[in-house]
Structures are given as C-alpha cells and as structure tokens.
C-alpha cells in the first residue's frame, strides 16, 4: 500500500483580497489560528501572506523607519510566492522534504474547486495517529513480558520451553521469542503465579491479551476489514494503562 499526499487531511485555503489591509489579515489569522492566507486579485490566487512574510516585512520597515504607517499597508507588501504546490497523488514522502523547508504546502486537487493547504502540523498529527498504535502495542508487550519475568524470576526461558514443547503452538526459544499467541495460554495455566498482580480473573486477562493480539495482527498485516479505529484505539489505551500499572505493583504474599 503506497501512501500518498491525499492520505493526510488538508483543508480549503482561506484567502483575502490583495487590497485588504495587512492589519485585518493579521487579525483573521490570529482569530482563526491560521499561519498563512492566500492572496487573491479578481478572484485569482496570486500569492500567500504568512506570519513569516509579515515578520520579514516588519523587520525591513522598522529598519527603514517606515513602520509607523503600518495600518495603511495592504497585504501586497507581505506577499510571497504560491509554492510549493503538490498533487494529491504524489508519494507521501515528498512532504517530508517540502515541509522541512516551508511550514505548509498547497495541494492542487482536481476534485476541489480551490487549492487545499496542508501544514507541518497536519503531517505531524497524521504521523502521530499512524504510529501511536504501534507504540502502544510495543509498550503493552513489554509490560506483559516484565510480568512473566517477575512471576518466574529464576529462569523464565526454560519455563516457557518446557510448557510449550507439547503444545500445538511453536515452542519459543525464550521470553523474547514469544508472541501474543503465547502469553495468555501460559499465564492462565500458571495463574497462581500471576493472580496477585490482578483484581480480575485469568479469563479477563486472557481475553484482553487476545484482543490486543488481534488488533496487532490487523495493523501489522494491513488488514483493515475488521479494523475499527475508534474502538481499537480505546481498547489499546485501556490495555496500555492496565498492564503498565501491573508492573509497578508488588505482589502480595
């Protein structure tokens, strides 16, 4: 699956007229939390105005002693080129180079009446949403492995090998070779060593680990037909808090 620019949410570019007052443009940007605006003349986009271009102009005007009449200036004094522009079908990777140089790119989508804008914040938010499930799953697995190590401090690797040698699942070489298919079976059948960590019973823990394993398989193998992002995110958040909280507890004697 090739990810493209279209996978990252973009938004309609808000614009002002080239004869609009620069101060009013700044107010629009501030009130709407925009970092930039399009600049139009006769309904056609001719450039951009941004905090960066405004700051540059203000610095020059101040140096020349001409900043006192700023309220009378139009946005044309701070205009910058309409670039960079990308197509929605472009490879997502191009955004990394472009947004390293500029805080935004414009997206020329033929299905939209006007240019769309995509900022470095939009890309960061998209990447966070894409990566977060992987990080949560990794943390959950680390917490589960820590519990196994604490429950069998002498030689967990040997315990696992002996336990799985006659089971209908691959025998792991040790703890680091286990998967989400191994953890619930081993924990439930050795529940006396684990129950002091939990208020719930072994069946609850087994089902929770299995759910995390299912989500992990769907994500890692790009199987989206059963993937419900909202439900899965909530479950991963719960499992992450649940298992990481267990490893901070001291088992009762």
């Amino acid at each position: 699956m090739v990810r493209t620019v279209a996978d990252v949410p973009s938004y309609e570019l808000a614009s002002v007229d080239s004869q609009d007052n620069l101060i009013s443009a700044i107010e629009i940007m501030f009130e709407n939390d925009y970092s930039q605006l399009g600049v139009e003349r006769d309904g056609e986009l001719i450039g951009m105005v941004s905090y960066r271009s405004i700051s540059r102009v203000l610095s020059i005007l101040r140096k020349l002693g001409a900043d006192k009449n700023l309220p009378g200036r139009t946005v044309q004094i701070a205009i910058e080129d309409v670039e960079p522009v990308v197509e929605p079908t472009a490879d997502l990777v191009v955004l990394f180079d472009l947004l390293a140089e500029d805080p935004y790119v414009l997206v020329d989508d033929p299905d939209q009446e006007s240019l769309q804008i995509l900022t470095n914040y939009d890309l960061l938010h998209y990447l966070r949403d894409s990566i977060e499930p992987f990080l949560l799953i990794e943390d959950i697995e680390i917490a589960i492995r820590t519990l196994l190590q604490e429950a069998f401090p002498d030689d967990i690797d040997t315990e696992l090998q002996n336990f799985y040698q006659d089971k209908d699942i691959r025998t792991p070489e040790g703890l680091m070779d286990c998967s989400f298919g191994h953890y619930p079976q081993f924990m439930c059948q050795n529940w006396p060593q684990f129950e002091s960590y939990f208020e719930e019973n072994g069946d609850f823990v087994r089902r929770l680990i299995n759910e995390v394993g299912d989500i992990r398989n769907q994500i890692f193998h790009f199987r989206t037909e059963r993937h419900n992002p909202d439900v899965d995110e909530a479950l991963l958040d719960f499992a992450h808090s649940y298992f990481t909280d267990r490893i901070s507890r001291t088992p009762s004697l």
Side-chain angles (χ1 to χ4, degrees):
M1 179 178 63
V2 178
R3 296 181 185 270
T4 66
V5 171
D7 290 314
V8 184
S10 58
Y11 305 91
E12 183 177 356
L13 175 65
S15 300
V16 294
D17 188 81
S18 61
Q19 295 303 311
D20 284 349
N21 186 275
L22 182 60
I23 295 296
S24 66
I26 295 174
E27 291 174 346
I28 292 173
M29 292 165 64
F30 180 78
E31 291 171 359
N32 294 278
D33 199 24
Y34 297 149
S35 297
Q36 55 281 310
L37 291 167
V39 180
E40 295 183 346
R41 180 185 296 139
D42 299 326
E44 180 181 351
L45 187 70
I46 62 169
M48 301 286 292
V49 61
S50 66
Y51 282 128
R52 179 181 58 180
S53 68
I54 293 170
S55 298
R56 186 184 303 122
V57 167
L58 288 178
S59 177
I60 294 172
L61 292 177
R62 188 174 297 110
K63 185 175 183 179
L64 299 176
D67 54 321
K68 293 183 179 180
N69 61 345
L70 182 63
R73 301 285 186 177
T74 67
V75 295
Q76 290 187 100
I77 196 173
I79 199 169
E80 57 187 12
D81 292 337
V82 182
E83 61 178 21
V85 180
V86 297
E87 296 182 354
T89 54
D91 195 303
L92 178 64
V93 175
V94 304
L95 292 178
F96 292 92
D97 290 334
L98 294 175
L99 291 175
E101 299 293 331
D102 295 281
Y104 66 88
V105 299
L106 299 178
V107 182
D108 188 7
D109 189 342
D111 295 330
Q112 302 291 335
E113 294 183 0
S114 60
L115 287 173
Q116 306 289 296
I117 188 166
L118 191 159
T119 68
N120 46 19
Y121 176 81
D122 297 323
L123 179 60
L124 181 62
H125 191 75
Y126 170 80
L127 292 175
R128 187 202 68 179
D129 289 345
S130 300
I131 295 172
E132 188 173 28
F134 295 91
L135 298 180
L136 288 173
I137 291 170
E138 181 181 28
D139 283 351
I140 292 168
E141 185 160 26
I142 290 172
I144 293 172
R145 287 177 174 176
T146 300
L147 288 172
L148 268 67
Q149 184 71 66
E150 289 186 2
F152 290 88
D154 294 333
D155 192 353
I156 182 61
D157 291 345
T158 300
E159 292 284 350
L160 288 164
Q161 291 171 6
N162 292 337
F163 179 83
Y164 281 107
Q165 65 181 352
D166 59 349
K167 300 290 190 298
D168 57 353
I169 185 174
R170 174 184 57 84
T171 300
E173 294 181 6
L175 180 59
M176 301 305 293
D177 191 36
C178 286
S179 69
F180 279 93
H182 293 96
Y183 305 131
Q185 187 177 13
F186 181 81
M187 292 177 70
C188 286
Q189 294 193 30
N190 292 278
W191 189 245
Q193 278 73 32
F194 295 98
E195 62 181 342
S196 57
Y197 289 93
F198 301 94
E199 291 86 4
E200 295 75 20
N201 59 33
D203 187 59
F204 174 89
V205 174
R206 175 187 60 79
R207 286 185 286 119
L208 182 57
I209 295 176
N210 283 335
E211 287 289 341
V212 174
D214 286 344
I215 295 172
R216 184 263 181 207
N217 291 336
Q218 292 165 30
I219 293 175
F220 276 69
H221 296 97
F222 304 103
R223 297 170 182 165
T224 59
E225 66 277 2
R226 292 183 57 243
H227 183 52
N228 185 324
D230 292 335
V231 174
D232 292 349
E233 180 181 352
L235 190 142
L236 289 179
D237 284 337
F238 173 82
H240 181 269
S241 298
Y242 184 81
F243 285 109
T244 55
D245 181 58
R246 305 305 114 176
I247 63 176
S248 65
R249 300 186 178 194
T250 302
S252 57
L253 300 177

